[in-house]
Amino acid sequence: MPIDILQLCPLMPSLEAELAKCYTVHRWFEMKDQAGFLKAHADKIRGAVTGGHIGIQMELAAQLPKLEIISINGVGYDKIDLNEARKRGYRVANTPDVLTADVADLALGLIIALARQLVRADHHVRAGNWTKGELGLGHRVSGRRYGIFGLGRIGQAIAKRLEAFDGHISYSGRRKLDVPYTFYPDINDLAANCDVLVVAAAASAETKHVVNADVLKALGPNGSLINIARGSLVDEAALIAALQNATIAGAGLDVFADEPRAPEALFGMKNVVLTPHVASATHETRQAMADLVLANLDAQFTGKPLPAAVV
C-alpha cells in the first residue's frame, strides 16, 4: 500500500509526477478544509515534501504523529524547527551541492548586470533612446574588491568565479578558513574593505538583519550589495534608505523578506537589479534537486542512510 505524504507547496511538474507514482500525495496547499483533512488523515502521513522558502509550520508538524521525514526541495532549512525535529524523532533532508554552481553563476550575473547597467542598457535600446543619447558609463567588474559574507559551498563557488575576474577577495563568517582570501571577523570591517558585498550565508536567528544600516554605511557610496542568500539577512528598510540617500551605490537582489512580494520602493530605482528568487532555476539543477528529494524519501522509507540529511 502506498505511503501517504503531504505536499506543502507546488513543485516542478516532473517531480510531482514521480511523487504521484510512488506515494499517495495529499496537496496541502490546495485543501479548502485542512482541519477536516487532519482529523481524518493526520495519523497516516509519514512524510512531507516542501520548499525551503516555506518549510513546515511547527503547529502542523505537531499534528502528524507518524511523521518520519521532511524532504526539502531546496538547500535552506531555516523555516523548519530542527530542535523540534530532533525531539520528535523525524528526519529533515535537503538538496545541497546540486544547486551551488547555479547560485554562484547568478551572483556573478547580478554583479555584472549591476556594474555594467545591463538592465538599463537593454531598456535604453528597446525604448529607442539610443538615437537620443548615450546611456552613460558603468563600472569595471574585473579587479575590484569583493567581500563575501558566508564562505560555505556557495560562497566559495562565488569566490572561485571572481578569481577569474582578478577580484581581490575577502570574507567574513563564523571562523577563519584555510583559503587564500583575507578574513575579517566582523561584517562591518568586511563591508568597509570591499567594493561589492555579496551575501551568501545561511538564514538563522543569528544572521537576521546582519546587513543593517551600519554595514551599509561602512560599504559606502561607491559600494554595492548583492544578495543571493535569504531576504531575512538584509534589513530591507535600511537598504531602501541607503539606496535612496546614496549611502551605497546600488544593489542586486534575488531574495526578499516577504516573497513573492518585493518592496515596491525598489521598483523605480535605476541603481538596482531585481530577480524573483531564480538562483537555482535552471532545468538541469531543478531536475537534480527533484532527484535528491525523491532519493531522500526513498532512503527513509527503505531504511537506508539519507543522501542529504540535515538532522
Side-chain angles (χ1 to χ4, degrees):
M1 187 173 182
I3 292 170
D4 289 72
I5 64 171
L6 197 61
Q7 180 183 336
L8 300 181
C9 63
L11 300 167
M12 191 168 66
S14 60
L15 174 54
E16 291 190 349
E18 288 300 316
L19 287 170
K21 287 181 183 178
C22 302
Y23 306 102
T24 298
V25 180
H26 304 277
R27 297 165 68 87
W28 177 256
F29 57 98
E30 291 181 344
M31 293 180 191
K32 295 181 179 179
D33 184 11
Q34 293 177 335
F37 170 82
L38 289 174
K39 186 175 181 180
H41 302 286
D43 60 351
K44 299 178 183 177
I45 302 298
R46 294 176 57 189
V49 179
T50 187
H53 62 299
I54 65 166
I56 187 171
Q57 293 183 341
M58 187 170 62
E59 293 80 5
L60 173 58
Q63 297 181 72
L64 305 175
K66 301 294 180 61
L67 184 64
E68 297 180 27
I69 183 173
I70 299 171
S71 189
I72 306 168
N73 184 46
V75 69
Y77 48 83
D78 52 294
K79 298 295 180 69
I80 293 177
D81 189 329
L82 298 184
N83 289 328
E84 184 67 13
R86 294 185 185 98
K87 180 180 176 181
R88 289 270 313 281
Y90 55 81
R91 308 299 303 277
V92 177
N94 63 347
T95 60
D97 298 321
V98 296
L99 48 69
T100 296
D102 277 352
V103 178
D105 288 350
L106 187 77
L108 266 291
L110 288 173
I111 289 169
I112 296 169
L114 185 64
R116 298 305 306 272
Q117 306 182 90
L118 295 188
V119 176
R120 291 186 63 199
D122 178 86
H123 178 73
H124 190 72
V125 176
R126 290 176 187 269
N129 292 331
W130 195 5
T131 58
K132 303 173 186 177
E134 297 295 329
L135 174 67
L137 301 180
H139 291 278
R140 177 177 290 176
V141 174
S142 297
R144 302 187 79 189
R145 301 176 303 161
Y146 294 95
I148 302 174
F149 178 70
L151 203 70
R153 296 182 183 94
I154 293 171
Q156 291 187 43
I158 294 169
K160 182 178 179 181
R161 285 156 175 75
L162 289 171
E163 287 183 24
F165 285 84
D166 297 321
H168 303 281
I169 302 165
S170 55
Y171 71 101
S172 181
R174 293 178 179 175
R175 64 187 185 280
K176 186 176 182 180
L177 303 174
D178 184 19
V179 293
Y181 313 131
T182 303
F183 175 66
Y184 291 100
D186 184 76
I187 189 174
N188 290 71
D189 293 334
L190 178 69
N193 287 279
C194 69
D195 302 308
V196 180
L197 177 61
V198 183
V199 183
S204 66
E206 180 184 359
T207 59
K208 183 176 181 179
H209 288 183
V210 68
V211 178
N212 55 27
D214 290 338
V215 171
L216 296 169
K217 183 178 180 180
L219 183 57
N222 296 316
S224 298
L225 177 74
I226 303 294
N227 189 7
I228 46 77
R230 280 287 189 269
S232 63
L233 277 74
V234 175
D235 182 339
E236 287 185 346
L239 174 60
I240 290 167
L243 290 165
Q244 290 172 335
N245 300 327
T247 302
I248 65 171
L253 310 171
D254 185 51
V255 288
F256 305 90
D258 186 27
E259 295 177 4
R261 289 164 287 276
E264 292 187 9
L266 296 171
F267 294 173
M269 294 184 181
K270 296 181 179 180
N271 57 340
V272 299
V273 176
L274 310 174
T275 53
H277 201 152
V278 294
S280 67
T282 67
H283 292 288
E284 297 84 359
T285 286
R286 288 294 170 85
Q287 186 58 57
M289 291 168 63
D291 292 343
L292 195 45
V293 167
L294 293 165
N296 283 324
L297 289 170
D298 180 70
Q300 175 63 31
F301 298 133
T302 58
K304 301 173 184 176
L306 300 185
V310 177
V311 297

